[in-house]
């Protein structure tokens, strides 16, 4: 689409003040002839540059960067689909994806082409008008990486720049592809593959570099963020989110400052602080904001036994985008011990607060509070809880620190404690959306407490999830709190006033885990949910206007764009990820959850239809019960320790991975052992656990699974 076509469609679609203003200044989107990439023509497919991103509001038919604009607001000025027309929204097209794991991507749309990613780090280029797959790139991530990822093999999206598409892989690679052909341009390894670093987040573009973080704080790694040259893939800078072993020498004075807030031998378990999802970039300040994760292991009593704030865990850190040098930080949870990451979505906005215009950064991290922070200085402006919180009474605005509740540190009292929010957070990676029209932020919030008790036998291990907190062993006192966990589990779409710091409306869902959010100038908020529905609500009042059946749970955030004067609302669907897997029957009580991975796109008057939901094959009868009570109890504890995070509490499937209770292999000791000890299903992500489980223990796990099957 050329510039004049773009402006014609804008007039049809967009709030006039924004669109006409953008199109009158046609020359404001110029070709960057200084770039070293050849053929800098706007005719090049996916030609996106800094100027075009800075002026993204002038072309709302595109979704140029992860959060649509550098502000990451995920608000679209498009309004052909609005509170009067949304009832006519119908399916325009769909694309089947070739994986059956959770989908979390935000597609990028440039000039009628959609670039999205799917589980196992695959990338698709799709005609955004017809849904025809133009090409797919599969980086062929080995199955073993499934067991190194705490929360599944998801991928949250790509970045586009000057004719190339950039994305990262679960096994730590950053890849640049030719946007026209899908051919590989360059690939760099961003992690040490001998350690359990994984990447699920989308890269961001800042000051001529492409920036990527990583995950692994449940596996003993040291977090960092790296910037690479967009042209060549050469490393520009790296910032570590936690300090390393002082004996190795500090990288710079910032690391030395951070190390003063740690005690003991924190580097042995990596320290964590991984920046696995959220970034925001302010090109005028040239600041890159990174959200950092929890400690490794979770418990501060293990990680930093003499206490300390443990910088930069659970923080927003502002870096000079050119150099990666530290500028300021705000730590949401000093000395985190609850897996309270601050990697959650960050939004930039300009708000009038107490009569003063403030440039703010806003975040609802896992810990339950909503933060408004001055993004120039890092000064805390306000913080209030969006969901019930019982680990802190409030955030003290003078010191900027939470006031903790006595006894919340389970690892100091050594008591079993139910804490809200839990490790899943009052808000997790699912993006929120801020509408400058309503002045409200729409948050996919959760009530999802977690039962914490220190694992006093914690030790570093070579394989598997290892966080220093006991899991749900069904014969353990932890389990006695579990029914309350189920009763407490709820999800809400919250409309939150960030200036008044109060709720304006809410819509409640059946369970806690639902999709990310989009808001539009059509007075609409879109969100998918666990029950396989995509719905539109009025942005001002939360009235449900439209809903459609997606056939599978939705985690990813919707996006909107336009082609040839028609507005589309698109979302990548596919149930899965850690909560679906680990919670087992809690989230799947009817056994009807399923993964059908697709990209769905809707438009006014769309008439496409999804094929019927496949009829599930009848489950085979469970194998006959066997094993002594002591063997079953031992098996239950081993299962909770090694298997639950993927295969579900109680050995009950959350609807994505196979239900072990009904697996033929559970009735066949040699087949079960081949899977668990020999890794015959490694390509599917089920590696050998022989390093940490022996043959007798394997049989005990099988006895427990079969007992569960017969209950
Ligand atoms: Ca974590």
């Amino acid at each position: 689409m050329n510039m004049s076509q773009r402006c014609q469609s804008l007039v049809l679609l967009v709030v006039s003040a924004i669109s006409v203003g953008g199109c009158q200044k046609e020359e404001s989107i110029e070709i960057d002839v200084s770039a070293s990439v050849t053929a800098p023509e706007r005719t090049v497919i996916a030609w996106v540059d800094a100027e075009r991103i800075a002026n993204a509001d002038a072309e709302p038919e595109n979704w140029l960067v992860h959060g649509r604009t550098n502000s990451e607001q995920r608000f679209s000025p498009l309004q052909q689909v609005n509170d009067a027309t949304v009832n006519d929204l119908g399916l325009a097209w769909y694309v089947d994806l070739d994986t059956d794991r959770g989908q979390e991507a935000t597609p990028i749309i440039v000039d009628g082409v959609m670039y999205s990613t799917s589980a196992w780090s695959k990338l698709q280029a799709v005609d955004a008008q017809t849904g025809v797959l133009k090409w797919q790139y599969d980086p062929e991530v080995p199955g073993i990486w499934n067991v190194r990822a705490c929360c599944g093999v998801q991928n949250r999206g790509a970045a586009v720049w000057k004719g190339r598409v950039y994305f990262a892989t679960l096994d730590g690679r950053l890849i640049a592809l030719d946007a026209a052909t899908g051919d590989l341009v360059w690939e760099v390894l961003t992690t040490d593959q001998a350690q359990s670093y994984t990447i699920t987040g989308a890269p961001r573009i800042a000051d001529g570099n492409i920036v990527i973080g990583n995950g692994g704080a449940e596996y003993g790694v040291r977090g960092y963020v790296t910037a690479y040259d967009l042209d060549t893939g050469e490393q520009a800078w790296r910032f570590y989110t936690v300090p390393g072993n002082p004996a190795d020498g500090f990288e710079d004075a910032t690391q030395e400052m951070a190390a003063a807030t740690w005690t003991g031998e924190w580097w042995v378990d990596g320290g964590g602080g991984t920046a696995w999802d959220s970034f925001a970039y302010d090109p005028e300040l040239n600041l890159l904001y990174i959200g950092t994760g929890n400690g490794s292991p979770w418990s501060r009593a293990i990680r930093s036994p003499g206490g300390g704030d443990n910088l930069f865990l659970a923080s927003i850190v502002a870096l000079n985008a050119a150099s990666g040098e530290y500028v300021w930080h705000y730590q949401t949870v000093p000395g985190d011990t609850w897996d309270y990451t601050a990697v959650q979505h960050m939004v930039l906005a300009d708000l009038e607060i107490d009569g003063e215009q403030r440039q703010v950064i806003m975040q609802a991290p896992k810990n339950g509070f909503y933060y408004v922070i001055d993004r120039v200085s890092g000064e805390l402006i306000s913080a209030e809880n969006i969901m019930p919180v019982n680990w802190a009474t409030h955030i003290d605005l003078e010191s900027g620190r939470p006031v903790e509740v006595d006894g919340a540190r389970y690892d100091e009292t050594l008591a079993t404690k139910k804490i809200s929010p839990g490790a899943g957070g009052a808000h997790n990676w699912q993006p929120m959306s801020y509408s400058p029209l309503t002045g409200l932020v729409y948050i996919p919030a959760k009530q999802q407490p977690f039962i914490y008790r220190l694992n006093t036998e914690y030790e570093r291990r070579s394989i598997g999830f290892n966080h220093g907190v006991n899991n749900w062993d069904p014969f353990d006192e932890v389990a006695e709190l579990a029914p309350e966990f189920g009763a407490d589990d709820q999800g809400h779409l919250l409309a939150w006033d960030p200036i008044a710091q109060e709720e304006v409306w809410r819509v409640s869902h059946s369970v806690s885990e639902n999709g990310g959010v989009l808001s539009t100038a059509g007075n609409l908020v879109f969100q998918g949910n666990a029950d396989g529905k995509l719905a539109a609500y009025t942005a001002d009042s939360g009235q449900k206007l439209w809903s459609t059946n997606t056939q599978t749970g939705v985690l990813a955030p919707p996006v909107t764009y336009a082609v040839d004067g028609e507005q589309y609302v698109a979302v990548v669907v596919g149930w899965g990820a850690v909560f679906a897997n680990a919670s087992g029957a809690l989230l799947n009580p009817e056994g009807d959850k399923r993964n059908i991975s697709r990209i769905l796109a809707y438009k006014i008057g769309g008439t496409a239809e999804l094929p019927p939901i496949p009829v599930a094959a009848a489950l085979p009868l469970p194998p006959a019960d066997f094993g002594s009570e002591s063997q079953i109890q031992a098996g239950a504890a081993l299962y909770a320790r090694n298997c639950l995070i993927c295969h579900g509490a109680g050995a009950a499937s959350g609807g994505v991975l196979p239900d072990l209770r009904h697996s033929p292999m559970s009735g066949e000791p040699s087949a079960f052992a081949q899977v668990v000890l020999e890794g015959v299903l490694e390509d599917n992500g089920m590696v050998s656990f022989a390093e940490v489980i022996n043959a007798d223990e394997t049989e005990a796990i099988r006895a427990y699974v079969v007992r569960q099957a017969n209950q």
Side-chain angles (χ1 to χ4, degrees), residues 195 394 552 596:
Q195 301 184 57
H394 64 287
T552 181
I596 304 179

Side-chain angles (χ1 to χ4, degrees), residues 86-228:
V86 70
N87 265 322
D88 297 325
L89 206 54
L91 187 66
W93 53 258
Y94 67 91
V95 177
D96 288 314
L97 299 172
D98 63 355
T99 64
D100 54 6
R101 300 298 189 90
Q103 306 298 341
E104 300 185 350
T106 296
I108 303 282
I109 296 97
V110 186
D111 303 331
V113 182
M114 172 183 288
Y115 304 92
S116 191
T117 61
S118 57
W120 289 111
S121 324
K122 299 182 188 186
L123 192 141
Q124 300 83 31
V126 175
D127 185 311
Q129 187 171 31
T130 63
V132 172
L133 181 69
K134 298 165 83 74
W135 51 263
Q136 172 167 281
Y137 186 87
D138 180 358
E140 297 180 345
V141 173
I144 184 176
W145 290 89
N146 178 57
V147 178
R148 297 176 165 197
C150 67
C151 304
V153 298
Q154 294 77 241
N155 189 286
R156 296 192 202 87
V160 173
W161 181 260
K162 295 184 179 175
R164 293 178 182 172
V165 190
Y166 300 79
F167 73 112
T169 65
L170 192 69
D171 58 352
R173 292 172 281 159
L174 181 67
I175 289 176
L177 302 176
D178 183 310
T181 61
D183 292 338
L184 182 69
V185 178
W186 55 253
E187 174 180 307
V188 292
L189 184 61
T190 73
T191 57
D192 171 7
Q193 290 185 323
Q195 301 184 57
S196 290
Y197 283 105
T198 50
I199 303 181
T200 55
R204 303 295 205 283
I205 290 159
D207 198 35
N209 293 317
I210 181 116
V211 180
I212 192 71
N214 47 55
E218 279 71 36
Y219 299 78
V221 306
R222 179 187 181 196
Y224 57 84
V225 171
T226 318
Y228 296 89

Side-chain angles (χ1 to χ4, degrees), residues 150-151 217-218 274 276 293-295 298 339-341 366 423 465:
C150 67
C151 304
E218 279 71 36
T274 48
W276 52 263
N294 56 281
W298 288 4
D339 187 24
Y340 282 163
T341 70
K366 275 187 181 177
F465 196 84

Side-chain angles (χ1 to χ4, degrees), residues 691-703:
E691 285 178 60
V692 291
I693 302 173
N694 65 30
D696 287 347
E697 290 169 333
T698 300
E699 192 62 357
I701 291 171
R702 192 175 76 85

Side-chain angles (χ1 to χ4, degrees), residues 440-453:
L440 302 177
V441 60
Y442 304 95
I443 309 169
K446 304 192 285 183
Q447 272 171 269
Q448 196 186 75
F450 189 84
I451 300 135
Y452 295 84
R453 190 187 57 193

Side-chain angles (χ1 to χ4, degrees), residues 210-378:
I210 181 116
V211 180
I212 192 71
N214 47 55
E218 279 71 36
Y219 299 78
V221 306
R222 179 187 181 196
Y224 57 84
V225 171
T226 318
Y228 296 89
D229 183 275
L230 279 153
D231 280 355
T232 63
E234 194 182 333
Q235 183 173 321
W237 52 257
R238 174 166 289 176
F239 177 82
Y240 285 94
T241 55
V242 296
N245 183 350
D248 297 337
F250 295 115
E251 286 81 3
D252 55 33
T254 300
Q255 296 296 322
E256 191 171 2
M257 176 262 278
T261 66
W262 292 74
T263 54
E265 297 186 335
W266 71 86
W267 57 88
V268 173
D269 285 309
T274 48
W276 52 263
D277 190 55
S278 179
F279 296 88
Y281 174 54
D282 184 327
E284 282 166 24
L285 298 171
N286 209 28
L287 291 180
L288 175 73
Y289 304 95
I290 63 174
T292 71
N294 56 281
S296 173
W298 288 4
S299 161
R300 186 179 66 173
I302 300 173
R303 186 180 69 231
S304 182
D309 286 355
N310 293 183
L311 293 175
F312 298 97
L313 299 183
S315 300
I316 296 173
V317 184
L319 303 178
N320 178 322
S323 63
E325 286 168 351
Y326 166 90
V327 178
W328 60 255
H329 78 276
Y330 176 79
Q331 188 175 42
T332 60
V333 185
D336 169 46
T337 207
W338 304 276
D339 187 24
Y340 282 163
T341 70
V343 303
Q344 281 60 43
H345 181 198
M346 298 179 289
V347 168
L348 310 183
D350 294 341
L351 302 182
E352 189 182 318
I353 297 172
D354 295 333
E356 203 185 328
Q357 202 69 16
R358 303 289 295 264
Q359 295 173 279
V360 306
I361 183 168
M362 304 189 285
Q363 188 189 47
K366 275 187 181 177
N367 75 10
F369 291 92
Y370 189 84
Y371 293 85
V372 180
I373 293 166
D374 185 308
R375 73 172 180 270
V376 182
S377 66

